[in-house]
Amino acid sequence: MLEIRHLKTLHALREADSLVEAAERLHLTQSALSHQFKELEERLGMALFVRKTKPVRFTSAGLRLLQLADATLPLLRAAERDISRLAGGTAGRLHMAIECHSCFQWLMPTIDQFRDAWPEVELDLASGFAFAPLPALARGDLDLVVTSDPLDLPGLTYVPLFTYEAMLAVANQHPLASKPYIVPEDLARETLITYPVERDRLDIFTRFLEPADVEPAQVRTSELSVMMMQLVASGRGVCGMPHWALHEYSSRGYVRAKRLGEKGLFATLYAAIRTDMLEVPYMRDFLLTAKDTSFSTLDGVSAVR
């Protein structure tokens, strides 16, 4: 009566929190996914979740099957990894660089899982801010780069990990805290706090301020997210940051998170790899693990449309 695909679809629905995003994760149409759920519910004779609820509310039957999915799917993944090892490709190198100061929140759990699953793969991680990582990837010095700024270089493939919203952190008492959203002109009198990277790699400049020909009154840099939030909370500036990194502080009332522009400023994070590495078993597994970990640990990310 039950099939592995049923457990995967229920798991995806819980993680995505909507039929639309669950279908995207599973590379199905929303209609096909709805039909699959309807077919299963008819077989079982009971509903698995309550329609048109957000977040999705599961019935007792749905929760029981989710328990089964949580127990079964990791075992299935482990078996698939073991089979891949038997088929070859168990050893190799995965040298990575990141162009994202905020990525450690999901990247470190991903690396922990990957080390356990692929102990024979030589793993190394470096910051990509002191050199140009994408050309290094193309040369073969690196094997994977986490970036939100793809370059059109021959031999590279960009695998989308997730879409996120860039937001502005302001102090609770700041005049901008009461605005429904921020417009570029709002920052003309502000000190903008950023990570110490080139302006052409910061969306708040390239996609928000520069198109409106607006320059902040002052720019200040900091290496650490926690220090940036301390500066913002004490009224010493405002700061652009991904929603997932900012949520940790805004959810506690430490700062306020404001949307950039009426419709928001969205970006996509990619894993850049050499095209010839796409089918290597441990690389495929790393990308799957990275996606699973980011969706399960980060707030406000969504599947790439």
Side-chain angles (χ1 to χ4, degrees):
M1 183 179 292
L2 286 174
E3 301 175 21
I4 293 296
R5 65 189 178 98
H6 297 140
L7 300 181
K8 288 182 175 180
T9 54
L10 274 171
H11 181 269
L13 180 59
R14 181 181 62 187
E15 297 300 316
D17 220 18
S18 75
L19 277 173
V20 174
E21 290 188 15
E24 289 177 351
R25 290 198 194 188
L26 296 167
H27 306 292
L28 298 171
T29 65
Q30 183 180 352
S31 175
L33 185 60
S34 296
H35 178 76
Q36 188 177 126
F37 277 123
K38 182 179 179 182
E39 178 188 37
L40 178 59
E41 288 173 333
E42 288 177 350
R43 289 191 195 180
L44 298 173
M46 55 198 323
L48 297 175
F49 64 96
V50 181
R51 265 64 174 176
K52 299 181 180 179
T53 58
K54 194 171 180 65
V56 176
R57 185 156 54 89
F58 291 91
T59 64
S60 296
L63 291 172
R64 180 62 188 89
L65 290 185
L66 282 171
Q67 290 178 346
L68 178 62
D70 290 337
T72 303
L73 294 180
L75 294 175
L76 179 65
R77 177 71 66 81
E80 290 172 340
R81 287 167 176 160
D82 289 342
I83 292 170
S84 293
R85 289 190 182 97
L86 292 172
T90 62
R93 186 193 78 169
L94 183 51
H95 287 187
M96 294 179 284
I98 59 172
E99 292 187 326
C100 170
H101 281 83
S102 309
C103 286
F104 290 101
Q105 186 175 348
W106 60 268
L107 188 57
M108 298 316 293
T110 298
I111 289 175
D112 287 342
Q113 291 185 49
F114 183 80
R115 284 189 190 277
D116 291 340
W118 300 91
E120 297 176 28
V121 174
E122 177 191 341
L123 192 61
D124 191 29
L125 174 64
S127 168
F129 295 104
F131 64 101
L134 290 173
L137 174 65
R139 290 194 305 269
D141 299 336
L142 296 170
D143 304 300
L144 184 147
V145 175
V146 178
T147 182
S148 57
D149 300 302
L151 295 178
D152 186 14
L153 295 175
L156 297 190
T157 293
Y158 294 90
V159 179
L161 297 174
F162 55 79
T163 295
Y164 64 93
E165 183 173 4
M167 304 193 78
L168 190 76
V170 303
N172 291 322
Q173 68 276 13
H174 197 289
L176 294 179
S178 60
K179 293 197 64 176
Y181 57 88
I182 305 300
V183 297
E185 291 73 20
D186 290 330
L187 303 187
R189 297 179 298 277
E190 301 294 334
T191 296
L192 180 62
I193 304 166
T194 73
Y195 293 112
V197 299
E198 297 89 344
R199 289 171 58 137
D200 61 6
R201 294 165 68 182
L202 294 170
D203 286 339
I204 195 167
F205 280 109
T206 60
R207 298 176 52 207
F208 188 68
L209 293 174
E210 290 175 1
D213 197 24
V214 172
E215 180 72 18
Q218 186 178 350
V219 177
R220 180 173 181 173
T221 63
S222 176
E223 288 274 0
L224 301 175
S225 299
V226 65
M227 180 56 68
M228 296 168 80
M229 291 300 97
Q230 194 279 329
L231 292 170
V232 170
S234 61
R236 300 181 188 180
V238 297
C239 170
M241 188 175 286
H243 181 274
W244 88 75
L246 182 52
H247 178 75
E248 176 183 355
Y249 304 96
S250 62
S251 63
R252 299 176 185 173
Y254 193 59
V255 297
R256 294 286 297 276
K258 308 303 298 182
R259 172 162 277 191
L260 290 166
E262 185 175 4
K263 297 182 179 179
L265 181 64
F266 293 87
T268 298
L269 199 67
Y270 298 89
I273 63 175
R274 289 188 301 281
T275 303
D276 63 292
M277 293 284 287
L278 270 174
E279 298 305 318
V280 174
Y282 65 79
M283 180 65 79
R284 290 203 313 268
D285 189 62
F286 183 87
L287 295 173
L288 285 171
T289 303
K291 288 185 179 183
D292 288 346
T293 303
S294 58
F295 280 111
S296 64
T297 59
L298 302 180
D299 186 84
V301 301
S302 59
V304 178
R305 299 182 183 280

